[in-house]
Amino acid sequence: MVMTVAPRRQPTLEEVAERAGVSRSVASRALNNAPHVSPAKREAVERAVRQLGYVPNPTARALATRQTGAAALVVSGEDPSIFADPFFAQVIVGASTALEDADLHLMLCLAASDRGRKRVEELLRSKGADGVLLMALREGDPLAGMAEEAEMPVVFGGRPVGVAPRWYVDVDNVGGAREATEYLISRGRTRVAAICGRLDTEAGRARYRGYRDALLGAGLDPLPPQEGDFTEPSGAAATAVLLKQHPDLDGIIAANDNMAAGALRTLRAAGRAVPADIAVVGFDDLTVAQVADPPLTTVHQPITALGREMARMLVAVINGHDPTPLILPTRLVTRSSA
């Protein structure tokens, strides 16, 4: 009787990564002497390879050597100082932390002009990064189309208007604005206006929808959206218009804390007491909400987690997975302004 012995199964790269305690992408780059791998992790991967007897696949090795070890955070904005905005600063913190865990370097790119957008387009076409995190898109932004045609993974921060991306992380904009408006209604406010932010952004539209849904649900009439651009001056200007058009106003929902702070400034100058005459609610829960006078009731969104989950999703895609879109929850934080 002749006994046959089944050939020993070859260990996989995933098993090497698990034994070394690193991600698959880190293990791949370590095996191919790619940059941005710490000495400790490189040594752990080499040790796992010896222990498991792993033999790299030549085809996979050829593909892996084309990795750059970097991910790009691309923001479509008009002002380079946008990266100093507390919102984007928190996104960067969350994203960089998650990318660091995967040994990926973070590049920042601002598509603020035709030249800037062309550089981003070249980045997408040339695979100048392993993947892209794309934020702050407005309706009709050409970057959305470029992302759809890109040969590298692209994860969106927030859903762009008119586009259905495969991978994105967003917050519950509708639910957050609805909860804030319902809170004002529960406090006896019946003439509530919305400073909605740009209506060519999904965040601006969604937060207005939440406001509108809450008022209609309570049998009250929503006012037309008063558009701002998410800056403090635009909130101040929008509030001046609202006071002129609706002198009986008793509540304001602003689509972010910067515009809510602008609303407080205009109300103070007009002699309107907050919240006695007009209650004000913001959205974001940035530091400005805590130091405002009076401190702002606001909708807390997990901004650092937004950046972190975007980066984690991108790493998962780079490693060959197909994660589902993610919507992060919001919660109302009550302070003295409402």
Side-chain angles (χ1 to χ4, degrees):
M1 179 178 178
V2 178
M3 296 183 62
T4 60
V5 179
R8 180 176 178 270
R9 184 182 67 83
Q10 290 295 319
T12 65
L13 180 59
E14 286 77 8
E15 290 170 333
V16 171
E18 183 179 359
R19 175 70 66 91
V22 300
S23 68
R24 185 185 186 280
S25 63
V26 170
S28 176
R29 292 201 302 278
L31 288 172
N32 291 282
N33 295 317
H36 307 296
V37 180
S38 68
K41 290 183 179 179
R42 193 182 299 276
E43 182 180 346
V45 170
E46 293 172 352
R47 183 168 54 250
V49 166
R50 291 193 301 270
Q51 292 172 348
L52 294 173
Y54 173 75
V55 178
N57 179 289
T59 302
R61 176 184 288 272
L63 291 172
T65 56
R66 292 206 297 265
Q67 292 184 338
T68 67
L73 172 62
V74 177
V75 176
S76 182
E78 299 171 352
D79 184 354
S81 66
I82 193 170
F83 286 122
D85 184 294
F87 176 89
F88 286 102
Q90 290 187 38
V91 169
I92 291 170
V93 169
S96 61
T97 300
L99 292 175
E100 183 179 346
D101 290 341
D103 273 5
L104 285 171
H105 176 65
L106 177 64
M107 301 187 299
L108 301 180
C109 303
L110 180 65
S113 63
D114 290 341
R115 184 178 179 184
R117 281 187 289 272
K118 185 172 181 60
R119 285 200 302 268
V120 172
E121 183 177 8
E122 291 172 353
L123 172 74
L124 293 170
R125 288 179 175 174
S126 67
K127 296 185 179 180
D130 293 341
V132 170
L133 306 170
L134 191 53
M135 293 198 68
L137 293 192
R138 294 161 64 178
E139 186 175 19
D141 194 314
L143 286 180
M146 295 179 197
E148 287 188 326
E149 298 174 1
E151 295 183 7
M152 70 173 68
V154 178
V155 172
F156 286 77
R159 287 163 289 183
V161 176
V163 178
R166 184 172 181 177
W167 302 296
Y168 67 83
V169 181
D170 205 351
V171 299
D172 186 7
N173 290 302
V174 173
R178 182 172 56 239
E179 182 183 11
T181 308
E182 288 172 346
Y183 175 76
L184 287 184
I185 295 170
S186 73
R187 307 286 287 181
R189 311 291 170 156
T190 59
R191 291 290 288 169
V192 181
I195 304 175
C196 63
R198 291 187 182 275
L199 288 174
D200 58 0
T201 66
E202 179 59 26
R205 294 184 182 186
R207 292 173 192 179
Y208 181 74
R209 286 199 302 271
Y211 152 86
R212 187 174 182 274
D213 290 350
L215 285 173
L216 291 175
L220 300 172
D221 295 326
L223 298 177
Q226 187 64 45
E227 189 172 0
D229 64 3
F230 297 108
T231 65
E232 193 270 353
S234 74
T239 303
V241 173
L242 287 171
L243 291 177
K244 184 176 181 179
Q245 294 179 344
H246 310 286
D248 59 343
L249 202 66
D250 63 6
I252 292 176
I253 298 288
N256 78 338
D257 291 340
N258 291 330
M259 293 193 298
L264 292 178
R265 176 161 62 87
T266 294
L267 293 173
R268 188 181 305 110
R272 300 292 187 95
V274 178
D277 298 329
I278 300 180
V280 178
V281 178
F283 203 113
D284 283 342
D285 198 19
L286 298 173
T287 301
V288 65
Q290 302 173 36
V291 301
D293 183 20
L296 277 169
T297 290
T298 187
V299 177
H300 174 87
Q301 63 165 320
I303 304 172
T304 302
L306 174 67
R308 182 175 64 247
E309 294 304 324
M310 287 171 59
R312 286 178 175 173
M313 184 174 290
L314 182 63
V315 170
V317 177
I318 291 172
N319 288 337
H321 302 291
D322 187 15
T324 57
L326 177 63
I327 304 296
L328 300 175
T330 60
R331 59 182 172 86
L332 186 67
V333 178
T334 57
R335 298 191 179 98
S336 305
S337 69

